[in-house]
Amino acid sequence: MADVYTNPEKHVVLSNNVKMPILGLGTSHDGGYSHEAVVYALKNCGYRHIDTAKRYGCERYIAQAVKASGVPREEIFLATKCWPTDYGTTTTKEALLGSCERLAVDYLDMYLMHWPEVSSGVKDRKQLLQETWRALEVLLDEERVRVIGVSNFLERHLEMILEECSVVPHVNQCEFHPFNNPKVLRQFCADRNIQFEGFSPLAKGLALRQPSVITIAGSHEKTPSQVLIRWSLQSNVPSIPKSTKLERVMDNSKVYDFALTQEDMMTLDNMKQSLTCMDWSSIQTKIDNPLPDGYKLKIVKPPLEP
Ligand SMILES: NC(=O)c1ccc[n+]([C@@H]2O[C@H](COP(=O)([O-])OP(=O)(O)OC[C@H]3O[C@@H](n4cnc5c(N)ncnc54)[C@H](OP(=O)(O)O)[C@@H]3O)[C@@H](O)[C@H]2O)c1
């Protein structure tokens, strides 16, 4: 078994005792998908956690990359997400089974509700979110999934789930980098034993140009990207940087051979909150818009086999 599960620095232990590798590989339809990069991440860089979503449209390509890597399925922590138009008692189960089919697996490691928003035609959002959460609890019970959680949920959204749930969400995945660090939400999650996980750790590349990040990187002879990922790891926040380029996938994995000082951490912990990648105002339109999953997907390096 890969050392990510035996080395305590390389995973977090969730409230149900499942070990989640603290470093994962992001994939999405935004900025492209590279088969070669995913194979390389698994085979050559030691990644054992892949983050995706039905919406990204690349689940079936990930199945091909996992197969091509030769890494056993049970070593990989595979996380995907349920899109709001699939929310509901039976539709959530169908969506999970569809993701399993595309990913060529019979169980998922983690399944997240992608957004707290729902189709605008829905009369009772709270009821639909609660029903969907109940469906996830059943899927957990049926061992279709090992970890259930939510994404982009603020305190008020989590409260709706906590009111009725029998399983407290194991994870809440949200935007997280020094320029968007929701400290109050993180504490809210920590107080309830919900693991806060971060996406867009590089602020889609924008954080790499920030002078304080560049200075800290220089002082450790590391890259700005490694500093940002290391900051997340030292903050106990799992991080899922995404790259379609082999050298960057490798670069982003070399985060265990140095440590940020207390002063570095304080500097990054106290940055001006000036970068938000996620455009919340467009989410409702995206949910209500009939565009197919993966509508933006551009394959940078295609799988070798069809
Ligand atoms: N739950 C959600 O709603 C949600 C939302 C957004 C993202 N996510 C997840 O989080 C993952 C990561 O987020 P993200 O893709 O938005 O942003 P990110 O990981 O912060 O940044 C990705 C961008 O940075 C570039 N990059 C990566 N490594 C680099 C390096 N070492 N040096 C220079 N540039 C580098 C990539 O370009 P190249 O590809 O050209 O290298 C890409 O443009 C996604 O893939 C997805 O799995 C989840």
Side-chain angles (χ1 to χ4, degrees), residues 51 151-152 173 200 202 204 242-245 248 252:
D51 182 82
S151 178
N152 298 297
Q173 185 190 100
S200 301
L202 318 177
K204 294 192 184 289
K242 180 220 161 148
S243 177
T244 51
K245 302 192 172 56
R248 290 178 175 178
N252 295 347

Side-chain angles (χ1 to χ4, degrees), residues 81 112-116 149-153 171-174 199:
K81 310 180 193 88
L112 305 178
M113 290 172 67
H114 206 146
W115 280 94
V150 294
S151 178
N152 298 297
F153 274 48
V171 169
N172 184 18
Q173 185 190 100
C174 297
F199 70 67

Side-chain angles (χ1 to χ4, degrees), residues 113-151:
M113 290 172 67
H114 206 146
W115 280 94
E117 309 301 335
V118 299
S119 306
S120 49
V122 171
K123 286 203 186 78
D124 191 336
R125 167 163 84 149
K126 182 170 158 183
Q127 190 187 350
L128 182 59
L129 293 179
Q130 289 177 343
E131 267 175 34
T132 305
W133 185 254
R134 180 69 196 134
L136 291 195
E137 290 176 338
V138 172
L139 289 162
L140 180 72
D141 206 39
E142 292 173 354
E143 299 185 3
R144 291 284 185 182
V145 57
R146 299 169 66 222
V147 171
I148 53 175
V150 294
S151 178

Side-chain angles (χ1 to χ4, degrees), residues 238-253:
S239 186
I240 47 173
K242 180 220 161 148
S243 177
T244 51
K245 302 192 172 56
L246 270 53
E247 65 281 10
R248 290 178 175 178
V249 167
M250 178 60 90
D251 187 63
N252 295 347
S253 73

Side-chain angles (χ1 to χ4, degrees), residues 42-63:
L42 291 169
K43 213 171 159 178
N44 303 81
C45 311
Y47 288 83
R48 288 295 180 272
H49 171 177
I50 298 178
D51 182 82
T52 191
K54 179 190 176 200
R55 184 64 173 172
Y56 305 161
C58 55
E59 290 175 322
R60 64 199 170 95
Y61 299 112
I62 290 173

